[in-house]
Amino acid sequence: MRIPARYATIEEICLVHTRAHYDFIEETKNRGDGDLLAVEKRFDSVYFNQLTWQSALLSAGGAIETCRAVASRQLKNAIAVIRPPGHHAEENRPMGFCMFDNVAIAAKVCQIDYKQTCRKILIVDWDVHHGNGIQQAFYSNPNVLYVSLHVHEDGRFYPAGPYGDHLHCGTGAGEGKNINVPWPTKGMGDADYMFAFQHIVMPVAHDFDPDLVIIAAGFDAAAGDQLGGCFVTPTCYAHMTHMLMSLAEGKLVVCLEGGYNLKSISKSALAVTRTLMGEPPDRMEETTATPSGIATVQKVVMYQSRYWRCLYPKDNDREISNSLGAERMHDVIRAYQSKHLYDTHKMISLFIFRERISRSFENQVIATTNYHKAVPLIVIFHDPPEVMGVPNPVTNKLELHNTWLADVLKHYIGWAVKQGFGVIDVNIPKHLTGIDDGTEYFEENKLARTAATEELAVYLWENYIECNDAQEIFFVGVGDAYHGVMHLLNNHEGFFERIAGVINFVAENPLRSVHDQNVYYLSKWYYKNSLVFVADNHLVWSPDGPLAGKKSTKRYGAFIRSPKVGLNEMLVVHQQQVQQFILQRVRRRSLAEAGSGRTATEVEGGVGTGMGPGMGSRMGTGSAGLLENAMSIETTMGMGEP
């Protein structure tokens, strides 16, 4: 059945927009082309001509009549093929090619015309852009539930800003009736959208129990739309439509919104229309959501669970406060580690005096008492230890008896201390005090964390490492924390000249390279004096990865494909390789010193070492002792002992 379109009235338009906004759009019919071009520049992504007002009224009127036909049960469901779109149009300004907010206007008209049978309305917006106009229209309305699935990119994607993030949930009586699913990047596909529908949209929709469902159906997230950059297929659009048809006794209206590829729009709209007519959707090929998609959905679920009984796990933020004496566990765990390392190896905290980062790294840098002496020194930059737990499925609370702390690096430290080596252990927390505060769920600020890591690395090198008597210095970088090691290599002149070796463990974080801007042979040095263990599932190993087809990879170091994918598992399986790597270099130096004809006493006395007379007494173990120690350990390792 074809539904005749009509012009929306001024009274209907002003249910959402101001009279001044209506008058402004109407004035465009009397302006010349040059004047319209000048006016366009005052707004964000709009296009005017002499027919703009007329077509905008028809578009809004078409949406109204389609929704009225379904709300009054003249039709079971319907689709409105209308232009221009409307979900970006705000109360007093056009934007994003939208003049009047078609869906919002139609929803308000239905609530007025059918007070008893159309009181609660669900609006699902799957346009790739956030529908800021619809959100604004109903932000305090308890009888309209607005759900938007859109690319957000941390507020950088159109229409930009924080308004489309998961924290904007409505206000006043409408709090909890606004749900944003903000994808962190382009490239989302069928499985991501279905995951969001299964875990957010449908549970909440059934709980809300609407009288009418309206889809703001932009098809710019469709596969083939280069501007949207996502990969939603016609089959997925059909499945989402089919799921929504189970609500409101089947009263469903689809209103066309955005889209920039005519072929993608036509295929997707056809799939939706066939579903409305009763055809079952085709089978979906993609069923596994991406990690970023899962993380986004779980984040939204956790935050929205405070408003909806059907959403689990529940958010505990409101129960966490200073009045309960609550502390973030990363501080508690590091305090425990600090005490344990002191009790076991007499390791002490190194003072960090930098105004911006000192609080963040309190108790995070711990060293053996011989770190400054003439012995091999191992400096470990690492991510926090992994806490593994099974939360209560209802309360989402972690119970201590179902929680474990995985800290493989303590075995590395214990081994180094046993050999008489110095150790500086640097834990890089994901929460930076003074940068990220509060008791709400915290997402890691990687840019801030990387900057603080690099600043700390320079501070430690200049104040605790460069000025000491360590004979061989080894740097170990684990996870994102290895950025500090790479920063020193790339930006601190003379750093590598005192370094005997670099060992890095890379799992999910990007593989970083050295550059030869300051020292032309730095990449060759790094390749010969490094071990870089890369997780088995890392992008670098894919056929189209960053190193595919490249001849020289020296600047990335001597990287090795690990059979494991997690940092803890990698640290376990490669522990013996790391120990052998370090011991071989310690032994090589000891053999070189012994072969030069100098006795251990001469070396300790400072002959040829750049030390003054009398300084040898501070060195502890001499070259002969280190050689004997290293050779005995190699023999032990050959028998299979760690």
Side-chain angles (χ1 to χ4, degrees), residues 1 22 86 118 169 220 230 315 317 431 440 447 466 492 521 530 556 626 638-639:
M1 176 179 173
Y22 176 90
C118 193
C169 303
D220 39 7
C230 290
D315 178 24
D317 283 353
H431 176 80
E440 70 279 357
L447 290 177
E466 187 178 29
H492 209 286
Y521 51 87
S530 68
Y556 290 95
L626 284 174
M639 295 187 293

Side-chain angles (χ1 to χ4, degrees), residues 153-188:
E153 290 185 345
D154 198 26
R156 297 185 300 275
F157 198 72
Y158 191 88
Y163 200 49
D165 66 22
H166 73 288
L167 301 176
H168 283 77
C169 303
T171 188
E175 187 173 2
K177 299 303 191 295
N178 193 91
I179 301 177
N180 288 321
V181 182
W183 302 129
T185 181
K186 294 181 180 182
M188 312 309 287

Side-chain angles (χ1 to χ4, degrees), residues 105-175:
I105 294 168
K108 289 201 172 188
V109 168
C110 287
Q111 286 182 320
I112 293 172
D113 290 353
Y114 308 100
K115 292 183 176 65
Q116 300 302 318
T117 58
C118 193
R119 187 172 63 89
K120 295 193 295 182
I121 297 177
L122 166 65
I123 300 174
V124 176
D125 187 346
W126 64 43
D127 190 288
V128 80
H129 302 99
H130 177 237
N132 54 294
I134 301 177
Q135 176 168 304
Q136 183 189 72
F138 299 109
Y139 203 58
S140 59
N141 191 326
N143 293 318
V144 176
L145 171 60
Y146 176 62
V147 183
S148 177
L149 302 91
H150 54 271
V151 174
H152 187 56
E153 290 185 345
D154 198 26
R156 297 185 300 275
F157 198 72
Y158 191 88
Y163 200 49
D165 66 22
H166 73 288
L167 301 176
H168 283 77
C169 303
T171 188
E175 187 173 2

Side-chain angles (χ1 to χ4, degrees), residues 13-87:
I13 298 296
C14 289
L15 291 173
V16 172
H17 301 282
T18 63
R19 177 59 187 264
H21 176 77
Y22 176 90
D23 292 340
F24 169 75
I25 301 299
E26 184 181 15
E27 288 174 7
T28 59
K29 67 180 181 180
N30 300 317
R31 292 176 180 259
D33 291 343
D35 193 14
L36 289 174
L37 285 172
V39 172
E40 288 172 10
K41 295 179 181 178
R42 291 163 40 195
F43 297 95
D44 185 4
S45 302
V46 295
Y47 171 77
F48 293 122
N49 60 37
Q50 288 80 11
L51 297 177
T52 294
W53 177 66
Q54 218 172 356
S55 59
L57 287 180
L58 274 175
S59 187
I64 292 170
E65 287 305 303
T66 306
C67 289
R68 292 183 78 255
V70 174
S72 63
R73 295 183 180 274
Q74 295 179 37
L75 297 172
K76 188 174 183 179
N77 55 55
I79 182 170
V81 183
I82 52 179
R83 276 289 191 273
H87 74 149

Side-chain angles (χ1 to χ4, degrees), residues 495-507:
F495 171 77
F496 76 98
E497 294 174 357
R498 287 198 62 195
I499 305 303
V502 176
I503 304 109
N504 290 321
F505 289 84
V506 182

Side-chain angles (χ1 to χ4, degrees), residues 236-503:
C236 182
Y237 284 118
H239 275 275
M240 291 190 290
T241 304
H242 190 261
M243 294 169 77
L244 293 172
M245 287 172 66
S246 66
L247 304 167
E249 299 177 336
K251 290 184 288 183
L252 173 64
V253 178
V254 180
C255 291
L256 190 62
E257 288 286 347
Y260 305 92
N261 183 304
L262 290 177
K263 184 176 290 186
S264 298
I265 294 173
S266 60
K267 288 183 177 180
S268 301
L270 178 61
V272 168
T273 305
R274 283 177 170 169
T275 304
L276 292 175
M277 295 175 68
E279 291 187 20
D282 294 333
R283 287 186 175 182
M284 291 185 59
E285 296 181 3
E286 183 185 350
T287 58
T288 304
T290 62
S292 60
I294 294 171
T296 300
V297 169
Q298 294 294 69
K299 177 175 64 178
V300 175
V301 166
M302 189 183 301
Y303 199 82
Q304 286 285 341
S305 66
R306 64 186 68 184
Y307 306 115
W308 299 96
R309 295 173 300 171
C310 59
L311 295 182
Y312 291 93
K314 292 298 180 184
D315 178 24
N316 294 323
D317 283 353
R318 293 183 174 183
E319 299 179 19
I320 303 173
S321 64
N322 290 332
S323 63
L324 299 179
E327 297 180 58
R328 288 192 182 269
M329 281 302 296
H330 77 293
D331 290 328
V332 176
I333 289 173
R334 190 56 178 176
Y336 156 76
Q337 286 182 309
S338 179
K339 183 179 185 305
H340 175 75
L341 291 173
Y342 175 79
D343 292 342
T344 308
H345 307 301
K346 300 304 177 186
M347 295 179 71
I348 58 174
S349 292
L350 297 185
F351 184 68
I352 308 298
F353 187 71
R354 282 287 173 89
E355 184 176 346
R356 195 178 77 86
I357 64 173
S358 57
R359 289 182 61 206
S360 299
F361 291 99
E362 183 178 351
N363 290 326
Q364 307 293 351
V365 183
I366 305 172
T368 55
T369 54
N370 65 338
Y371 76 90
H372 60 285
K373 295 183 178 180
V375 294
L377 173 65
I378 300 176
V379 184
I380 306 173
F381 278 76
H382 62 87
D383 290 346
E386 184 178 359
V387 175
M388 299 175 290
V390 182
N392 185 294
V394 176
T395 66
N396 196 37
K397 292 182 178 179
L398 276 175
E399 297 158 325
L400 294 182
H401 62 280
N402 286 323
T403 307
W404 297 266
L405 177 69
D407 185 15
V408 180
L409 283 170
K410 66 183 179 183
H411 300 306
Y412 282 67
I413 294 172
W415 170 83
V417 171
K418 187 176 180 181
Q419 316 315 317
F421 298 167
V423 177
I424 298 178
D425 179 72
V426 187
N427 180 71
I428 305 296
K430 293 188 176 183
H431 176 80
L432 301 179
T433 306
I435 297 175
D436 307 296
D437 290 318
T439 59
E440 70 279 357
Y441 175 77
F442 163 67
E443 285 188 89
E444 178 187 352
N445 185 337
K446 288 197 174 186
L447 290 177
R449 185 176 180 233
T450 298
T453 302
E454 293 173 351
E455 184 176 353
L456 176 67
V458 173
Y459 180 88
L460 290 175
W461 175 255
E462 293 178 346
N463 292 275
Y464 287 106
I465 303 173
E466 187 178 29
C467 55
N468 70 24
D469 296 326
Q471 292 177 324
E472 293 93 2
I473 302 174
F474 297 89
F475 272 81
V476 180
V478 182
D480 285 323
Y482 103 105
H483 288 300
V485 179
M486 301 306 294
H487 178 74
L488 285 174
L489 270 174
N490 281 320
N491 298 284
H492 209 286
E493 250 184 271
F495 171 77
F496 76 98
E497 294 174 357
R498 287 198 62 195
I499 305 303
V502 176
I503 304 109

